[in-house]
Amino acid sequence: MAAIGNHKFEFYTKLDAMIDEKQNETFVISDSIYNEIIQSIKSDRKEDAQLKRLANDQFRLKSKENIEYLETNDGEMIPRYSQLFDIINAVHQTAGHSDGEKAYKEVYQKCGFIRREVMQIFLENCPFCQRELTKKTIPNLPEMYSLTCMTLVQFSILDVAPKADNSEKYILHIRDLYSRFSWGRCLSSYSVKNIAAYLNCIFWNACKAPSILQSDDGEEFTYKVLNKMVCYSSGSYKDVKAGRSRDPGSPSFLEESNADLMNRLEGWMSRHKDESWSEGLEQIIYRMNMTINPIHGKTPFQVMFPNRGTIPLRDSPTKAITEPQDP
């Protein structure tokens, strides 16, 4: 029931945002206007004659089980704003959580007035559908690996040179696929040495190396980073595999997380009227790791470190990594 409550809240929150953004388009009729239309159709007062005529031109009043509702002249049921979620949810569950166009057609047969954009908001926040999507989009792993924390760790380098903060021009973003836990660090240069130095640091703090390390820059670049990490750690990462490059057409959780990170960073700079984004990076990473996942009710930190009570805001400095010396 809690999952349905969260889903309903997210649905109406995003629906309201879309209605505010596209004020010139009609997505739904509010409950108050809906009641006014019904009253005008039923009214016998002379002063309501014009309004009644307009309402009759657009709508037809129907009743089922003593509940009054409106239809279009084409016979399509028009739901109230407050009924939208319950109608869509009932049809969607009865149909077995079908997705995409099939889901829309099933709802359309029940209530043709519901627009695709509204249905899309519902599907994007359906807990069951999102769990199934996660299963479908997890990268293929060798059978010897079970998907747990630190099975697959992905990293990418975000170029923020146009908003360079002193010498810091890049963000190294690392994410554990299973827990969705993120690490972030400012970089002064796009170099294998810098990346290997920080990865070596976080894996040491996590007390575990990943089974597979994957980069958006391809398998060859990941091999270079791993080789440098092996040099720094006297061979500790020899068993870590370099993940193959992702199919450009397939979904990427890291890309979504990168977009989330950059959006939060832009928001931080806007709120603080400050272009020194490096000062806000650790706060943003902290909030990402402390955001509760509505599917299982835990934060990425709780999944990654189940035996730790709290997470410090500053686990390590965010200043740019200086070039380490080769051993």
Side-chain angles (χ1 to χ4, degrees), residues 293-311:
N293 188 318
I295 294 177
H296 51 62
K298 295 182 179 180
T299 66
F301 174 77
Q302 290 172 321
V303 177
M304 187 71 179
F305 303 106
N307 298 322
R308 297 189 189 179
T310 58
I311 178 175

Side-chain angles (χ1 to χ4, degrees), residues 172-184:
L172 174 59
H173 183 207
I174 307 104
R175 202 178 201 213
D176 174 60
L177 179 66
Y178 180 79
S179 65
R180 306 294 193 267
F181 188 88
S182 290
W183 295 266

Side-chain angles (χ1 to χ4, degrees), residues 6-236:
N6 290 335
H7 185 193
K8 191 171 186 176
F9 175 79
E10 290 291 333
F11 172 78
Y12 279 111
T13 299
K14 293 187 176 181
L15 177 61
D16 290 343
M18 183 175 68
I19 292 173
D20 290 340
E21 180 182 352
K22 301 181 179 181
Q23 295 182 5
N24 295 329
E25 299 183 47
T26 302
F27 292 95
V28 64
I29 299 176
S30 68
D31 288 8
S32 59
I33 294 179
Y34 201 100
N35 291 332
E36 288 179 12
I37 294 172
I38 290 178
Q39 292 303 318
S40 65
I41 293 175
K42 295 168 63 177
S43 176
D44 292 326
R45 299 191 310 171
K46 291 183 179 180
E47 55 266 32
D48 293 335
Q50 184 176 1
L51 185 59
K52 180 176 183 176
R53 186 168 55 255
L54 291 173
N56 281 319
D57 287 343
Q58 300 288 331
F59 309 103
R60 295 188 300 189
L61 181 60
K62 296 289 183 177
S63 177
K64 184 177 181 180
E65 298 178 355
N66 296 322
I67 298 176
E68 294 178 324
Y69 64 92
L70 297 172
E71 281 187 355
T72 66
N73 289 326
D74 296 327
E76 296 177 351
M77 174 191 170
I78 303 173
R80 298 171 184 266
Y81 171 86
S82 58
Q83 295 175 320
L84 274 175
F85 179 87
D86 293 332
I87 291 174
I88 297 175
N89 190 49
V91 176
H92 191 52
Q93 290 197 34
T94 302
H97 291 271
S98 53
D99 57 5
E101 187 65 21
K102 184 177 179 182
Y104 177 72
K105 287 180 178 179
E106 288 160 351
V107 172
Y108 185 83
Q109 291 174 358
K110 174 72 175 179
C111 184
F113 192 78
I114 294 177
R115 292 181 53 165
R116 291 178 187 271
E117 295 94 327
V118 176
M119 186 66 194
Q120 187 62 34
I121 291 175
F122 178 91
L123 292 176
E124 287 174 353
N125 294 277
C126 175
F128 180 87
C129 293
Q130 292 306 308
R131 283 196 296 270
E132 292 302 304
L133 178 62
T134 300
K135 293 177 183 178
K136 293 177 184 178
T137 54
I138 288 175
N140 295 324
L141 302 177
E143 292 182 0
M144 68 183 77
Y145 297 110
S146 61
L147 194 59
T148 58
C149 290
M150 301 299 286
T151 296
L152 175 60
V153 172
Q154 300 172 304
F155 71 92
S156 62
I157 297 89
L158 308 179
D159 185 356
V160 286
K163 297 182 180 294
D165 187 1
N166 296 322
S167 62
E168 298 162 7
K169 301 177 182 178
Y170 305 95
I171 295 174
L172 174 59
H173 183 207
I174 307 104
R175 202 178 201 213
D176 174 60
L177 179 66
Y178 180 79
S179 65
R180 306 294 193 267
F181 188 88
S182 290
W183 295 266
R185 176 61 68 94
C186 306
L187 296 177
S188 58
S189 65
Y190 194 127
S191 73
V192 170
K193 288 182 180 181
N194 279 357
I195 296 165
Y198 184 53
L199 288 174
N200 184 52
C201 175
I202 65 167
F203 296 154
W204 177 269
N205 289 335
C207 301
K208 185 177 181 181
S211 299
I212 300 174
L213 185 65
Q214 186 182 54
S215 167
D216 279 355
D217 287 335
E219 191 172 353
E220 182 179 350
F221 182 76
T222 307
Y223 273 121
K224 291 179 180 179
V225 172
L226 279 173
N227 288 336
K228 186 61 67 175
M229 290 172 65
V230 169
C231 293
Y232 290 154
S233 61
S234 303
S236 297

Side-chain angles (χ1 to χ4, degrees), residues 160 163 262-278 280 284:
V160 286
K163 297 182 180 294
M262 295 307 295
N263 286 337
R264 289 172 183 255
L265 202 61
E266 292 283 351
W268 185 91
M269 289 189 291
S270 176
R271 288 193 303 274
H272 292 80
K273 311 297 183 184
D274 189 352
E275 292 295 320
S276 301
W277 54 264
S278 61
I284 292 165

